[in-house]
Amino acid sequence: MNLRKRLQSISVSDFGLVSMILAILLTISVLGLPLTERIFLERTGAEGRATLRLAVASLQATIDRFEPLPALIAERPLVAAALGNPQSASTIAALNSSLERTAQELGASDIYVMDREGLTIATSNHALERSFLGRSFTFRPYFTEALDGVLGRFFALGTTSGQRGYYFGAPVWSEGRVIGVVALKFTLDGFEAAWRRSQSDILVVDQAGVVFMASRQGWQLRTMGELATEDRAQIVRTRQYPLDRLLPLRQVREEIATDYALVRIDDGGFGAYYVTSTIAMEAVGWRAVILTPAGPRALSALMLFVATVVVLGLLIMQLIQRRARLRADQEAQRQLQDLLERRVAERTTDLDRANANLRKEIEERKGAEQRLRKTQTELVQAGKLAALGQMSAALSHEINQPLAAVKTYAENAGTFLDRDRLPEARENVSRISKLADRMAAISAHLRNFARRPQDDVGPVEVQQSIDDALALMQARLKETKGSVIYDRPAEPVWVYGGQLRLQQVIVNLLSNALDAVEGQRAPKIELVLDDQDVDRVRIVVRDEGDGFDEDALAQLFDPFFTTKAPGKGLGLGLSISYNIVEDFGGRLHARNREDGGAEFSVDLRRAEAADAEDQVPSSGIAAE
Ligand code: ADP
């Protein structure tokens, strides 16, 4: 479905967005990394520098503590006495033990006295195997400097002991001239041991660039760079360090800030990065260097940074996903709504179309109804004419008979007059008059019947319509020897209708009844005017004919339904009657009687006599 496609396209576009954001985050990481790194390195550098400052202060304090001691010792009379008389074994022995004691008290490694030739005449280590006695140290700068009358200082690997040590050399004065030198050596190994406990490495580098102190043993006596030629020469001359150990410590430096640098030291295996900081120890001409491993801290900083970026990225992605889901939901809802709206529109169109069809159908029905009504009106007329035709045969018979009688009565009246039999003559004339009246009545019926009735419905007296109908039927009844049993109510019964049309309905029902009983001897037709109901008046016509079969009952009121022989029936009578009664607001029913024969009933709305303002006269032939 295209809904799913849309969802996919949304997620695809969001994927693009996510990638973009990730790319941005990555860029930020890449760009931000050096800065973070730098911040961390600077912090590390600052911390290292603080540590280094403490180390330098403590180292300097130790040196400072030993510095005045050789001069003090040189002032001892025993020293001068020993230098004045080196042959005196007792003096030398006394000095030896004195020096030994002093060295122990001071924590110095060695204290010894040399004559101007550099020969050691007394020493604190006289009793040891590595005793300096009889050894010459003229090559050491502290000796030559002291000989020059100043305090000599030096750092070197002991030629006898093989131990690194700091040396002070102080002149021994006698009568204004230097008669010998008191040297004091102390080791700095304790510092290195302390430094090893720190996370950082601490080095002390001399002027030539030799690392003579290092917390890492492997770095001791390495050089910070290639040695200068004169430095190398001096080292050889002073036997300061064994040359073969002075290997350069390979390093690459990168300045971070004024006080710190990042240095990579390639010392076998993998190179490691350190944040380094240097403090110059001007009094002794050294520089102290601290090296703090940069790797782990930078790595943790990096990891912290990456974690932050990742968490941020995840958060953003979740936000985007949620937004995408929301958008997808909204889109799905919109599509559903569209679909619904389309459906509604389609249904509406269908309904409109159905409505239009219905309207058209109604119009057509109306047209058809109008046409039918017109046809029916025309048929009513045609029916009347047909009835007229039917009746004219009976009528001519009906009129010829009285006419023949009139002729006979007239002739007889003449004869009676000739014979002066006046009463008989009068009798005959009166009979002629009666016959004339009757003929006039028949002719009036015919004239009214042929006229097109108006559609007005008003109160009419039922008895009058029945009377007129019966009068019209008289000839046929006589002919068929039939009789109509009718109990005429004395009180006039009023209904809504038209006088002539109601009469026409009754004539039709009576004539159908007569047709149905045709062939019977002295057939009887029952006519009932039932006015028991308050609102309704019923006229019932019953015969003793064969009644209707089912088909006939279903179609009785259809126009042109007839079971009569051609020329006898048009099949219009009941249809016209039905419509007339409907026009009156009444009903025409037909049913088979239980004891055989047909029964028609005409239900009409009762009217009040007072309503009948222009009621037709009850005598004579009603006009409508
Ligand atoms: P027509 O009398 O010209 O046939 P009608 O509409 O008056 O036309 O009658 C239609 C048909 O109804 C008759 O052909 C007849 O079959 C049937 N019919 C009417 N009245 C009766 C009756 N009283 N008994 C039996 N059938 C009747």
Side-chain angles (χ1 to χ4, degrees):
M1 203 183 135
N2 67 344
L3 188 70
R4 185 176 295 175
K5 251 188 214 162
R6 282 203 79 123
L7 284 176
Q8 273 171 355
S9 77
I10 284 168
S11 55
V12 162
S13 74
D14 280 348
F15 183 71
L17 193 61
V18 167
S19 322
M20 207 176 79
I21 286 171
L22 279 179
I24 290 171
L25 286 174
L26 208 70
T27 315
I28 291 173
S29 317
V30 168
L31 293 179
L33 202 58
L35 186 70
T36 334
E37 207 179 24
R38 174 165 287 258
I39 290 167
F40 269 86
L41 292 178
E42 279 187 16
R43 244 208 1 240
T44 312
E47 282 169 13
R49 199 169 174 78
T51 311
L52 185 64
R53 217 173 268 129
L54 279 175
V56 164
S58 140
L59 183 62
Q60 189 66 57
T62 306
I63 294 169
D64 290 349
R65 190 163 64 85
F66 281 109
E67 194 181 305
L69 297 180
L72 283 176
I73 295 164
E75 282 173 16
R76 289 186 185 171
L78 188 57
V79 174
L83 281 170
N85 188 13
Q87 312 309 324
S88 166
S90 60
T91 313
I92 293 300
L95 184 56
N96 272 344
S97 52
S98 163
L99 289 178
E100 188 180 354
R101 239 187 353 268
T102 309
Q104 264 170 11
E105 282 162 10
L106 294 177
S109 167
D110 305 286
I111 305 174
Y112 46 104
V113 178
M114 291 170 281
D115 63 14
R116 280 191 60 90
E117 309 313 314
L119 187 77
T120 307
I121 58 158
T123 173
S124 60
N125 54 32
H126 61 94
L128 302 179
E129 210 177 306
R130 57 171 185 87
S131 170
F132 292 174
L133 279 178
R135 297 189 63 109
S136 172
F137 296 106
T138 45
F139 51 91
R140 296 294 204 190
Y142 63 85
F143 173 76
T144 44
E145 279 164 22
L147 217 53
D148 287 344
V150 293
L151 182 70
R153 54 177 78 230
F154 191 54
F155 186 87
L157 190 74
T159 47
T160 316
S161 64
Q163 264 192 330
R164 285 166 304 148
Y166 196 89
Y167 300 81
F168 280 116
V172 182
W173 294 94
S174 178
E175 294 162 5
R177 66 179 205 103
V178 179
I179 56 165
V181 171
V182 172
L184 184 146
K185 177 188 176 186
F186 57 93
T187 59
L188 296 170
D189 298 355
F191 286 97
E192 286 173 329
W195 294 344
R196 268 196 279 280
R197 284 196 287 276
S198 149
Q199 277 188 341
S200 312
D201 283 303
I202 295 176
L203 321 173
V204 181
V205 184
D206 71 6
Q207 273 166 329
V210 177
V211 180
F212 64 85
M213 283 176 83
S215 53
R216 196 177 289 209
Q217 259 167 340
W219 290 353
Q220 287 168 1
L221 296 182
R222 303 288 292 274
T223 59
M224 291 302 267
E226 291 296 332
L227 287 175
T229 327
E230 57 267 35
D231 288 337
R232 182 178 281 272
Q234 183 162 0
I235 288 166
V236 173
R237 199 172 54 246
T238 60
R239 304 196 206 163
Q240 194 175 8
Y241 312 114
L243 259 188
D244 55 333
R245 282 185 62 181
L246 297 180
L247 300 170
L249 200 56
R250 241 189 298 282
Q251 50 188 296
V252 182
R253 235 178 122 80
E254 183 191 319
E255 299 300 326
I256 308 173
T258 13
D259 289 335
Y260 327 110
L262 188 69
V263 67
R264 196 177 115 97
I265 297 184
D266 292 317
D267 185 34
F270 301 102
Y273 278 99
Y274 300 88
V275 180
T276 178
S277 182
T278 303
I279 293 178
M281 295 172 70
E282 272 151 23
V284 287
W286 300 341
R287 55 200 164 98
V289 178
I290 188 160
L291 294 161
T292 309
R297 303 207 52 173
L299 197 69
S300 58
L302 176 69
M303 271 159 71
L304 190 75
F305 188 77
V306 167
T308 314
V309 166
V310 165
V311 167
L312 218 76
L314 284 175
L315 275 175
I316 290 172
M317 262 164 78
Q318 189 155 6
L319 255 165
I320 286 167
Q321 266 179 351
R322 194 179 298 170
R323 226 188 54 182
R325 261 206 304 279
L326 201 77
R327 225 184 308 152
D329 283 356
Q330 278 174 349
E331 179 62 15
Q333 221 168 342
R334 202 184 60 73
Q335 289 199 355
L336 198 71
Q337 206 169 322
D338 278 1
L339 194 74
L340 276 176
E341 274 170 14
R342 255 202 321 279
R343 291 260 164 90
V344 168
E346 279 169 16
R347 293 271 157 88
T348 313
T349 317
D350 286 354
L351 271 176
D352 284 352
R353 205 175 300 134
N355 270 357
N357 284 347
L358 265 177
R359 267 201 294 276
K360 208 172 134 201
E361 218 168 284
I362 287 168
E363 289 302 316
E364 281 171 2
R365 288 262 164 93
K366 268 189 191 158
E369 226 167 80
Q370 270 171 2
R371 278 198 299 280
L372 189 70
R373 203 161 279 159
K374 199 172 156 228
T375 313
Q376 276 178 349
T377 320
E378 283 165 10
L379 283 174
V380 169
Q381 199 63 11
K384 275 186 191 172
L385 289 172
L388 194 66
Q390 250 185 5
M391 272 187 294
S392 56
L395 214 64
S396 62
H397 170 72
E398 198 63 20
I399 287 171
N400 282 344
Q401 223 187 8
L403 273 178
V406 164
K407 190 170 164 56
T408 314
Y409 286 138
E411 281 169 1
N412 288 352
T415 312
F416 285 133
L417 278 174
D418 288 346
R419 293 179 190 166
D420 263 344
R421 288 166 68 177
L422 281 177
E424 285 89 344
R426 186 166 292 120
E427 170 67 23
N428 275 10
V429 169
S430 116
R431 278 185 188 161
I432 289 167
S433 172
K434 273 182 191 157
L435 283 168
D437 280 349
R438 195 170 155 214
M439 285 190 288
I442 291 167
S443 102
H445 269 304
L446 290 174
R447 197 180 62 238
N448 285 334
F449 199 71
R451 237 175 59 193
R452 196 182 178 91
Q454 282 122 31
D455 287 331
D456 288 346
V457 170
V460 292
E461 196 196 329
V462 187
Q463 282 96 326
Q464 199 185 330
S465 291
I466 295 177
D467 289 347
D468 291 346
L470 286 173
L472 273 171
M473 291 306 295
Q474 215 49 55
R476 259 202 89 189
L477 282 169
K478 205 166 181 184
E479 187 187 325
T480 56
K481 298 200 174 52
S483 56
V484 174
I485 301 162
Y486 169 50
D487 185 10
R488 188 182 194 276
E491 282 298 307
V493 177
W494 295 90
V495 292
Y496 284 103
Q499 194 80 62
L500 267 179
R501 280 175 288 169
L502 181 55
Q503 173 198 317
Q504 189 182 341
V505 171
I506 299 164
V507 164
N508 189 254
L509 295 179
L510 288 173
S511 98
N512 275 345
L514 272 180
D515 286 343
V517 296
E518 195 171 22
Q520 290 183 6
R521 272 188 347 118
K524 281 194 189 67
I525 292 162
E526 202 180 339
L527 196 152
V528 179
L529 175 53
D530 172 4
D531 69 335
Q532 300 305 303
D533 202 282
V534 188
D535 300 325
R536 188 200 56 167
V537 172
R538 174 170 282 185
I539 304 163
V540 184
V541 177
R542 297 190 188 109
D543 63 53
E544 291 171 345
D546 297 332
F548 330 99
D549 60 25
E550 242 176 70
D551 264 8
L553 199 57
Q555 306 173 68
L556 277 184
F557 302 111
D558 291 351
F560 301 108
F561 172 75
T562 180
T563 56
K564 293 168 190 170
K568 272 218 91 182
L570 278 172
L572 288 171
L574 281 180
S575 138
I576 291 166
S577 300
Y578 185 89
N579 281 309
I580 288 171
V581 176
E582 288 273 308
D583 285 347
F584 294 166
R587 289 287 295 170
L588 176 57
H589 302 280
R591 67 178 191 96
N592 281 316
R593 293 173 60 195
E594 270 153 35
D595 45 354
E599 180 183 294
F600 283 89
S601 44
V602 184
D603 286 343
L604 294 165
R605 290 182 295 146
R606 183 187 281 278
E608 291 304 315
D611 294 348
E613 275 172 13
D614 38 34
Q615 60 192 50
V616 284
S618 59
S619 61
I621 305 301
E624 197 177 8

